[in-house]
Amino acid sequence: MIQSRLPTGLLAVDPRKPEKYSMQKACAILLAGGLVAFPTETVYGLGANALDERAVARIFAAKGRPADNPLIVHFAAAARLNPFFKRLPPMAWLLAERFWPGPLTLVLKNDYGFSAAVTGGLGTVAVRVPAHPVALALLGALGVPVAAPSANVSGRPSPTTAAHVLDDLEGRIDLVLDGGPAWLGVESTVLDLTGERPVLLRPGGVTLQQLEAVVGPVSLDPAVNDPAWAESENEGESESKQPRSPGMKYTHYAPKARVLLFDGADSAGVAAKILAEAAALTGAGQRVGILACRDHESSYREQGYDVIAAGWREDPAPLAASLYEALRCFDRIPVDVILAEGVPARGLGLAVMNRLFKAAGGNVVKV
Ligand code: TXA
Ligand code: MG
């Protein structure tokens, strides 16, 4: 897509107490139909006034995002949803009370009509109240909801810092509010409440177990655990195999290097397999990067590989927080192949594994 270049502004803001001046400046841009990237607790979002179709269209142009992939509409508080929905399902209120502001997105019937530019023409709309002071200050000052996908070029890892946003979108958006790193590092959990039983469309910051404690059994969309969804854009696939969350069908979160994911319950076995593969690839002249938990970090380092390690198999939160930065970092070195350790797919580990599956485009070695 050919677009004229914009001078992209960068404003540092205090992540705990965002300056009023900066919020006013960002609001003025949004109300004039511009695009502002801002930090949330999950990743940076690329915001436009959700009620301004032309502004929303500019998000798709800036990101190179397919038009059928709908956006999340962000609100300053749950009560702000009232004018836009006839009646919210009781579960929505229960979940909002427990998890908002926070990393949970609810898919609801689009009663009052957010435009097809926002919803991809689906008849449903995704909404969330983010838990970052900068996002909340901006939304509160603006007074209208903000449509915001992650602020990356489509198909690139989501941005967790303002620098990531500029790497991808400088010259294509009006302003970046720099509030430091997003602390969770993986996107919000997307939960569809439009059917009989809630369906988890994308695992994220709120875990399946936390959701089930509030609303009872939750079904998993097949796209959640199936790396095959990431391999193609599903051309020619039958209608019944279409994932319910359109975003899940596109190869996502992918660095430029090839990613191989090693998955298995025996963590020593996984480490041994990674070392063997790394040796073979290095022998074949490939530069190898290893993305791992800290459990086996030293055995990789001893062999002289480029290693990025964070978190532990049983505590993957620090790995989630640095996952996208790590993928971008390997591209800067650059390495040819990233060998990634899997973690148990429970709790936050489900979101980490989902992102790693997608980054690997289905290249999974079962150990
Ligand atoms: O943490 C997050 O959710 C971040 C921050 C900025 O809020 N946003 C984010 O947006 O990750 P995005 O656009 O990168 O991912 C939104 C996901 C996509 O997979 C999209 O297909 C899905 O939500 N989605 C949006 N509207 C939907 C709808 N009406 N029905 C089903 N899925 C929907
Ligand atoms: Mg995204």
Side-chain angles (χ1 to χ4, degrees):
M1 167 114 19
I2 297 171
Q3 257 203 318
S4 54
R5 281 185 68 81
L6 289 170
T8 300
L10 177 65
L11 260 182
V13 288
D14 182 335
R16 277 170 302 265
K17 220 169 158 289
E19 296 79 0
K20 221 171 169 184
Y21 159 80
S22 309
M23 295 305 106
Q24 283 167 350
K25 175 147 187 171
C27 286
I29 291 171
L30 288 169
L31 290 173
L35 303 183
V36 175
F38 59 95
T40 80
E41 79 282 29
T42 57
V43 300
Y44 272 68
L46 177 60
N49 176 352
L51 308 182
D52 177 344
E53 273 186 55
R54 283 179 56 187
V56 171
R58 290 187 59 215
I59 290 181
F60 288 83
K63 283 181 57 94
R65 181 174 174 111
D68 70 349
N69 192 2
L71 307 177
I72 297 170
V73 181
H74 295 69
F75 293 82
R80 299 264 185 118
L81 269 69
N82 281 324
F84 298 96
F85 295 91
K86 267 188 221 130
R87 202 182 65 83
L88 290 186
M91 264 185 203
W93 289 117
L94 280 178
L95 290 163
E97 204 157 88
R98 172 70 180 79
F99 298 112
W100 281 353
L104 176 65
T105 293
L106 300 177
V107 174
L108 304 169
K109 290 210 172 71
N110 185 22
D111 291 335
Y112 273 23
F114 282 96
S115 71
V118 172
T119 66
L122 283 182
T124 57
V125 63
V127 298
R128 106 170 172 101
V129 178
H132 195 290
V134 174
L136 287 173
L138 180 64
L139 291 162
L142 190 68
V144 293
V146 167
S150 48
N152 51 289
V153 160
S154 235
R156 295 271 298 142
S158 289
T160 53
T161 66
H164 297 164
V165 177
L166 289 173
D167 280 348
D168 278 17
L169 297 175
E170 186 167 18
R172 302 188 196 197
I173 65 177
D174 299 284
L175 179 68
V176 183
L177 295 174
D178 182 355
W183 44 84
L184 251 155
V186 290
E187 301 85 345
S188 62
T189 302
V190 180
L191 187 71
D192 186 345
L193 293 182
T194 61
E196 296 232 316
R197 187 192 258 218
V199 182
L200 184 79
L201 300 182
R202 179 177 74 180
V206 172
T207 67
L208 182 62
Q209 293 74 11
Q210 286 176 310
L211 292 174
E212 290 192 324
V214 175
V215 295
V218 169
S219 314
L220 251 67
D221 189 81
V224 170
N225 280 323
D226 186 353
W229 288 115
E231 287 176 327
S232 72
E233 296 193 356
N234 289 355
E235 284 157 286
E237 298 266 13
S238 70
E239 199 44 37
S240 63
K241 277 200 75 186
Q242 289 289 331
R244 306 240 313 251
S245 179
M248 300 299 271
K249 73 184 169 178
Y250 297 105
T251 305
H252 250 82
Y253 318 115
K256 290 169 194 145
R258 190 158 65 85
V259 179
L260 254 180
L261 172 61
F262 292 75
D263 183 25
D266 164 20
S267 87
V270 166
K273 201 76 181 205
I274 288 180
L275 282 169
E277 185 69 28
L281 287 165
T282 308
Q286 303 257 298
R287 183 152 181 184
V288 171
I290 297 177
L291 175 58
C293 293
R294 307 200 58 190
D295 309 55
H296 300 289
E297 180 181 1
S298 56
S299 49
Y300 302 133
R301 287 208 192 280
E302 279 158 17
Q303 304 297 318
Y305 297 113
D306 294 301
V307 181
I308 298 178
W312 304 88
R313 269 179 76 83
E314 296 306 326
D315 174 22
L319 179 62
S322 41
L323 182 60
Y324 292 138
E325 162 64 17
L327 296 178
R328 284 175 184 260
C329 184
F330 281 129
D331 277 345
R332 284 195 297 269
I333 290 176
V335 302
D336 302 299
V337 187
I338 300 167
L339 305 181
E341 255 183 18
V343 295
R346 55 174 181 266
L348 193 59
L350 185 66
V352 170
M353 282 306 276
N354 172 265
R355 305 313 189 267
L356 286 173
F357 273 137
K358 290 182 188 306
N363 291 314
V364 181
V365 178
K366 283 274 176 203
V367 179

